[in-house]
Amino acid sequence: MEHVNLGIVGLGNVGSGTVTILAENARQITEKLGFPLAVKAVCSLDVDQVRLPEALDPVFKTTDWRQVATHPEVDIVAELVGGTTVAAEIITTALSLRKSVVTANKELLALRGAELWELAISSGANLAMEASVAGGIPIHAVLREGISGDRVVALYGILNGTSNYILTEMEKRGDTLEAVLKEAQRMGLAEADPSADVDGYDARSKLALLSALAFGERITPSDIFTEGIRRISPVDFQYAHRLAHTIRLICAARQTPEGLLLSVRPALVPQATILAGVRGAYNAIWVKGAYGEDTFYYGRGAGSRPTGVAVVSDLMRVAREIRRGSPERVSPFAHERLGEYRPLPVTCEKQPYYLRFRVDDRPGIIAALAGILAGKSVSLEAVLQVPCDNKHDLPFVITVEPTTEQSVREAAAEMARLDFLLEPPLVMPLAQPF
Ligand code: HSE
């Protein structure tokens, strides 16, 4: 039984999970494949301090990724360093040498994935990226193969575990975002710089990748309307509950007659929907197909071992193709060629909205706000107010009937100039068309 040889670049969170699984689960992996995988070379900046599982020995260790990507005996390179600079060099070097690549890199693949796949095709190598979105959930395999016979009409995801953990802890404990974030940082659940998670950029890259697979369009992440969770406060959960909803950071991709509508933003989600049950650092993707209708995928979106499983499963798939001598030609984007995405502004969305205000109380506030909404032809649905003693910082909510995002934004901009408002209104979609 001839080995297929692996080179692992990056032994951080995902890399260490990957080598642990390759060592501990070697017998199962060999039984499934009919041949073993051998870790031939590893690279990490602190490779001398890293303790590798003994079962992997002998392994060539280096701090220079080039020695792995160009190693003559390495058949598949796992790029597990992340980022868009060195990682791009590692992948292009390996592919140019006809070595297949497995990567967990959402950011790079969302930016340059189609181009890297072209390079893989022209080199006769493969490029696999299951670990790049929703670590432990095999959503790429689902969209690429499992339901590829269907025509996806919409996809909704909770794709950032950190922000989902923060929101669900705020909901459970009534704490502020700052307090929960600090605790998550202490526990190692959130990065010291939390921006990628709480401002929605991590989720945006993931939505760009999944939308490319689901809809066959090449999506530039910066074309996706993105709003993070920083403005959500405990009182928003109180109001959401009154409305029989909760709040989640929702990645949405929906085919409309005008084109593909994409957004990453906090939204009110009906408590009765399956997405509301996604709590803590979990991820979920809800796919709606024209023929197969609804399917739902749930699991750990990150973590050393869940993401390691995704990497190892890709390594097995690519190794099988190498051993059989017929590199699979299924594009990692599920489409042979991706079309160009023509960004559609979310301002054309039409749905009900939730507007939350913080005001220095005085007579005439509702009349002033209602007047602005009426001026934009926006119809009020309800006015809600939970008890609050501080009349100088009084929260309350107005919900409005379905209207365009354009009208609601214009109204919110006008309201933001009113001197009794302590901050601009917080605007969230009230019910996406789940
Ligand atoms: N930071 C991400 C999350 C995991 O919180 O989901 C890596 O993509």
Side-chain angles (χ1 to χ4, degrees):
M1 285 195 300
E2 210 184 324
H3 294 79
V4 166
N5 290 326
L6 314 176
I8 313 281
V9 186
L11 291 174
N13 193 32
V14 180
S16 60
T18 300
V19 293
T20 301
I21 294 164
L22 285 167
E24 286 182 11
N25 203 26
R27 195 165 61 86
Q28 270 262 326
I29 291 170
T30 306
E31 280 170 10
K32 285 175 177 166
L33 287 173
F35 58 86
L37 299 179
V39 178
K40 203 75 195 169
V42 296
C43 167
S44 169
L45 292 178
D46 59 355
V47 78
D48 291 333
Q49 278 89 61
V50 174
R51 279 190 46 178
L52 286 175
E54 278 174 23
L56 294 184
D57 270 337
V59 181
F60 170 70
K61 298 178 193 167
T62 177
T63 54
D64 178 4
W65 63 262
R66 285 179 188 79
Q67 293 192 306
V68 176
T70 64
H71 193 296
E73 289 179 60
V74 165
D75 302 302
I76 311 173
V77 174
E79 179 280 302
L80 305 175
V81 298
T84 55
T85 52
V86 177
E89 282 190 75
I90 297 167
I91 294 177
T92 52
T93 303
L95 290 177
S96 306
L97 292 169
R98 307 172 72 85
K99 295 179 193 298
S100 290
V101 170
V102 169
T103 178
N105 194 324
K106 68 200 153 233
E107 207 186 343
L108 178 63
L109 271 286
L111 279 175
R112 295 180 48 192
E115 169 204 333
L116 294 172
W117 174 238
E118 294 289 329
L119 177 58
I121 294 176
S122 63
S123 310
N126 208 337
L127 175 66
M129 56 172 185
E130 182 64 70
S132 61
V133 178
I137 309 175
I139 187 63
H140 286 255
V142 164
L143 293 170
R144 194 183 61 234
E145 287 163 74
I147 60 166
S148 65
D150 208 341
R151 176 167 53 81
V152 177
V153 293
L155 178 151
Y156 299 101
I158 292 176
L159 299 177
N160 185 263
T162 306
S163 52
N164 203 57
Y165 172 84
I166 291 171
L167 290 176
T168 52
E169 285 299 303
M170 286 173 70
E171 177 168 33
K172 196 162 79 189
R173 305 186 330 216
D175 280 348
T176 62
L177 185 138
E178 291 74 24
V180 177
L181 174 60
K182 268 202 189 107
E183 185 193 283
Q185 285 169 322
R186 269 199 307 277
M187 290 161 60
L189 283 174
E191 305 279 342
D193 176 359
S195 175
D197 293 321
V198 299
D199 294 324
Y201 303 125
D202 172 84
R204 180 176 80 172
S205 295
K206 293 168 178 170
L207 181 64
L209 279 176
L210 291 190
S211 302
L213 269 100
F215 300 100
E217 298 189 11
R218 184 194 301 237
I219 291 151
T220 306
S222 55
D223 283 340
I224 300 178
F225 172 79
T226 302
E227 221 173 65
I229 60 168
R230 285 194 203 259
R231 293 202 57 206
I232 309 297
S233 69
V235 81
D236 292 308
F237 284 100
Q238 292 180 34
Y239 285 112
H241 292 169
R242 287 216 167 177
L243 294 160
H245 282 62
T246 184
I247 302 166
R248 296 286 183 267
L249 181 66
I250 298 292
C251 299
R254 197 159 52 85
Q255 199 62 264
T256 72
E258 292 75 37
L260 185 58
L261 201 49
L262 301 169
S263 64
V264 175
R265 65 193 314 187
L268 274 82
V269 173
Q271 280 170 338
T273 68
I274 195 162
L275 281 176
V278 179
R279 299 194 177 85
Y282 278 84
N283 280 192
I285 302 109
W286 185 353
V287 185
K288 289 176 172 285
Y291 304 99
E293 301 184 6
D294 296 66
T295 54
F296 188 79
Y297 310 91
Y298 172 85
R300 291 207 175 272
S304 177
R305 293 184 179 210
T307 313
V309 169
V311 174
V312 172
S313 304
D314 264 354
L315 289 167
M316 290 171 69
R317 182 166 62 90
V318 174
R320 198 179 272 125
E321 292 157 15
I322 291 173
R323 190 49 68 246
R324 304 269 179 273
S326 59
E328 183 194 21
R329 304 321 298 166
V330 180
S331 158
F333 290 98
H335 293 74
E336 269 304 295
R337 292 280 175 276
L338 292 176
E340 282 307 318
Y341 172 57
R342 279 183 304 105
L344 200 59
V346 286
T347 43
C348 65
E349 279 270 30
K350 191 166 182 195
Q351 56 197 342
Y353 287 89
Y354 164 105
L355 290 84
R356 193 260 295 143
F357 305 92
R358 279 177 57 210
V359 299
D360 184 3
D361 200 16
R362 69 189 65 162
I365 287 179
I366 298 285
L369 298 174
I372 291 175
L373 289 169
K376 301 290 170 196
S377 304
V378 178
S379 182
L380 264 79
E381 168 85 37
V383 178
L384 306 170
Q385 194 171 337
V386 294
C388 173
D389 292 336
N390 186 355
K391 299 296 174 209
H392 296 295
D393 186 355
L394 184 70
F396 70 92
V397 162
I398 294 179
T399 62
V400 299
E401 290 179 359
T403 182
T404 63
E405 175 112 11
Q406 180 67 30
S407 314
V408 107
R409 279 195 197 185
E410 285 174 10
E414 207 170 307
M415 290 166 175
R417 292 195 284 270
L418 298 171
D419 64 352
F420 54 75
L421 278 191
L422 303 183
E423 63 178 24
L426 171 71
V427 179
M428 285 191 280
L430 179 51
Q432 302 256 352
F434 295 121

